Amino acid sequence: MRVLVEVCVDDVAGALAAEVGGADRVELCADLGRGGTTPSAGMVRAVLAAVTRVGVQVMVRPRGGDFAYSRAELDVMLADVAHLRAAAAGARVPVGVVTGVLTTDGSLDVAAMRRLVEAAAPLPVTAHKAVDETPDLERTYDALRDLGVVRVLTSGGAATAAEGATTLARLVERSRAGGPAVLAGGAVRPGTVAALVAGTGVGEVHLRAQAPSDRGDGTLDTDVDVVRALVAAVGRPAPTPRAAPAPDAWAVLAVDAGGTAFKASLVDDRGRVVVRRDARSGDSGEASYRHLADLLLALRREATDRGLVVLGAGVATPGMVDEPAGVVRYASTLRWSDLPLGPRLADELGLPVAVGHDVRSAGLAESLFGAAAGEGDAVLVSIGTGVAASILTGGHAVTGAQTTAGELGHIPVVEDGEPCTCGQRGCLEVYCSGAGLARRYAAAGGLPGLDAAAVVARLDEDPVAAGVWDDAVRALAQGLATVTLLLDPRVVVLTGGFSRAGDRLLEPLRTRLAGLLAWRDAPPVRLSPLGTEAGRIGAAVLGLRAAGRDDVVERWRVADLLG
Ligand SMILES: [Zn+2]
């Protein structure tokens, strides 16, 4: 008989140690020292992202102490179960719920257990050692069978599994007649497990496999050698040795999607780019999706080869993006329309995936690490082929009712002005964008075939260039005056190809903006220090947030991000 081994763990390193040591499942808890309570949402997602083979049973227990819960505590448990069901969607490994509720007189709370089992479906439910405190364990077992519980963790009603062996054997008999599997736990150790299995016929064992941590502070860590010893003691061949990834060997996938290409990076736990890979967009929306998914799958293989565990992925994309749903409503150049990009990638990669709007993602990076760092009210203006803004107000990114807030490029700045590709007239980006500047310079009789950068390079000697540049600065100042009066930002940050004009842009812009504002000062206008990396950095932050690891972002430094 093949005996299954389950190890209870309370962190990612423990789950990986259990996997490397040959265990079949982990039971994930917080606070093992108090018998295990519900782990955080971030911990659940991180463990599900890290393991590749072991099943993950997640403890749902709102506190230490007894198992008779108030109505409010039961509501917390039901909410945790709902979260867990969502986190388990797309997981690469089997996921289940471990829980137990007793009434105040110490018997099984059948009504509460039924609600938990129903809330968890389709995830299977294991009843934990609370059942050992019920007065008649065999009756409790039968009630759990009727509730549809798939497994019972028990020490046979005694303090240890060895002392409860007689009852365990009777429960194993019951399970053979068609009942929940019996998982023996309670002081199970490598030296005693063989006798326990032989004496009870139990097919699954559960243990803590901890040893004093390297921190030397009296805390415990899951020890891969204890796991190996237990697996060997139940007569299982030792797994092929492979190095356990260090707990800080984590990475995320970050994609900055442009109109014609996907720029993807593998970003390590310090925010450094480990590998960059690009792919072109396709001839159809589906082909573009395929190129992107294949690019991410290839990057994840490279991560594995380097011993890095990928926690999640973030994708910054142009167009109209429903960020909470991960759906690209419309992106013309990528030919995407109502594409559930986040859910599809999450399904294919088996990772949490977040999707963000490209300029808002760049604005996120700017507000964390760039020229707007620490400011809750800031506007990032990206001026490239077109113009778009990311608006941060009171610390919140403004998306708007139709997700199109920030279309600064299509604010009319010249009444009855030149036509825009959007159908309006006199839009800001008609005058102030890479495409607009080059087009207007040629139309005004300038040298043929120059792009915006070449036009800027001729400002000192070419009156046609100086004229269209002056129009561009005037249009941008008009737009920024509106932004300033409407939003009162602490700082305006410029990025995109146009901002490479540097002082040729900044100095006349500041003068014009100040001249348009009579009763208040203009906010400072700065160039982005992150430049074209902002989209990638924002996407990496989205990926980490999807994995529930905001704490990692707080440790990132600009020098590493751009290094
Ligand atoms: Zn327009």
Side-chain angles (χ1 to χ4, degrees):
M1 181 181 62
R2 185 179 193 279
V3 177
L4 297 180
V5 174
E6 176 179 288
V7 177
C8 58
V9 302
D10 55 7
D11 57 12
V12 177
L16 291 172
E19 180 161 281
V20 170
D24 301 280
R25 280 194 309 260
V26 296
E27 182 197 76
L28 179 62
C29 308
D31 207 2
L32 273 179
R34 285 200 301 162
T37 54
T38 310
S40 74
M43 182 62 79
V44 171
R45 287 189 183 265
V47 166
L48 290 180
V51 299
T52 57
R53 184 180 57 77
V54 290
V56 178
Q57 303 286 314
V58 183
M59 175 65 73
V60 174
R61 182 183 177 212
R63 57 165 167 75
D66 71 15
F67 303 99
Y69 299 116
S70 69
R71 181 180 296 198
E73 287 170 331
L74 183 60
D75 284 343
V76 170
M77 296 168 81
L78 290 164
D80 283 333
V81 165
H83 166 264
L84 195 55
R85 224 179 40 202
R92 286 171 287 185
V93 296
V95 179
V97 174
V98 184
T99 192
V101 187
L102 304 183
T103 60
T104 45
D105 66 6
S107 56
L108 188 73
D109 187 336
V110 173
M113 285 300 286
R114 178 173 291 120
R115 289 185 67 187
L116 287 162
V117 169
E118 286 173 359
L123 300 185
V125 172
T126 296
H128 64 49
K129 290 185 70 187
V131 301
D132 285 324
E133 299 188 10
T134 60
D136 183 341
L137 187 51
E138 288 175 71
R139 244 181 81 188
T140 300
Y141 179 92
D142 290 345
L144 290 168
R145 179 193 58 214
D146 295 344
L147 285 167
V149 165
V150 299
R151 185 177 298 109
V152 180
L153 170 60
T154 171
S155 50
T160 67
E163 293 168 64
T166 310
T167 308
L168 278 172
R170 283 208 298 275
L171 293 177
V172 169
E173 280 304 314
R174 268 179 148 71
S175 75
R176 285 181 181 145
V182 177
L183 172 61
V188 174
R189 304 300 298 168
T192 59
V193 69
L196 178 71
V197 169
T200 62
V202 75
E204 304 187 10
V205 295
H206 169 102
L207 81 159
R208 276 171 77 172
Q210 293 189 305
S213 75
D214 294 338
R215 292 180 293 273
D217 55 2
T219 55
L220 301 174
D221 277 344
T222 299
D223 187 330
V224 67
D225 291 332
V226 179
V227 178
R228 285 200 178 104
L230 192 93
V231 169
V234 297
R236 298 255 304 275
T240 324
R242 83 179 155 91
D248 57 352
W250 295 331
V252 287
L253 305 175
V255 180
D256 189 6
T260 56
F262 300 109
K263 295 177 188 299
S265 311
L266 179 66
V267 176
D268 74 7
D269 64 310
R270 286 176 57 189
R272 298 172 300 196
V273 173
V274 181
V275 187
R276 289 181 198 266
R277 295 281 180 264
D278 293 354
R280 297 198 59 75
S281 57
D283 297 333
S284 66
E286 191 53 34
S288 287
Y289 170 79
R290 198 62 256 151
H291 291 185
L292 172 58
D294 288 343
L295 179 64
L296 291 177
L297 288 165
L299 258 189
R300 195 177 57 194
R301 281 193 296 274
E302 291 199 52
T304 306
D305 292 345
R306 290 161 188 265
L308 293 170
V309 175
V310 175
L311 296 186
V315 181
T317 168
M320 292 171 64
V321 184
D322 180 346
E323 292 175 349
V327 174
V328 181
R329 293 290 170 214
Y330 181 68
S332 60
T333 52
L334 295 168
R335 298 185 172 85
W336 285 345
S337 176
D338 288 327
L339 174 71
L341 181 61
R344 274 186 72 181
L345 285 175
D347 199 39
E348 202 162 329
L349 294 165
L351 290 174
V353 177
V355 176
H357 178 259
D358 54 356
V359 179
R360 282 199 288 276
S361 301
L364 172 64
E366 212 65 54
S367 71
L368 290 169
F369 310 108
E375 303 293 358
D377 295 274
V379 174
L380 173 79
V381 180
S382 172
I383 314 173
T385 309
V387 177
S390 161
I391 302 162
L392 196 70
T393 174
H396 294 281
V398 176
T399 55
Q402 298 178 29
T403 77
T404 64
E407 289 289 358
L408 181 63
H410 299 289
I411 286 185
V413 291
V414 177
E415 193 179 5
D416 289 330
E418 295 171 20
C420 177
T421 52
C422 76
Q424 299 175 168
R425 301 187 78 90
C427 293
L428 191 158
E429 73 176 42
V430 169
Y431 304 91
C432 182
S433 65
L437 192 76
R439 183 187 54 75
R440 295 190 78 246
Y441 174 75
L447 295 175
L450 299 193
D451 65 8
V455 174
V456 171
R458 294 180 58 78
L459 288 182
D460 289 331
E461 71 241 30
D462 183 342
V464 178
V468 293
W469 185 249
D470 189 53
D471 290 346
V473 172
R474 188 194 306 258
L476 182 57
Q478 192 72 53
L480 292 185
T482 303
V483 164
T484 298
L485 293 167
L486 195 60
L487 299 170
D488 184 18
R490 180 84 63 190
V491 59
V492 173
V493 183
L494 302 183
T495 187
F498 222 71
S499 64
R500 292 198 200 108
D503 286 343
R504 305 303 307 242
L505 175 63
L506 275 186
E507 285 179 10
L509 177 66
R510 284 172 176 151
T511 306
R512 285 217 181 262
L513 179 57
L516 289 168
L517 299 167
W519 52 267
R520 61 155 291 162
D521 290 338
V525 180
R526 297 186 192 131
L527 297 182
S528 160
L530 306 179
T532 54
E533 296 293 307
R536 186 260 306 168
I537 295 167
V541 171
L542 291 178
L544 269 178
R545 286 186 175 173
R549 294 305 306 266
D550 298 54
D551 60 310
V552 174
V553 177
E554 287 164 22
R555 297 199 301 268
W556 283 2
R557 299 290 169 261
V558 178
D560 289 329
L561 296 173
L562 297 178

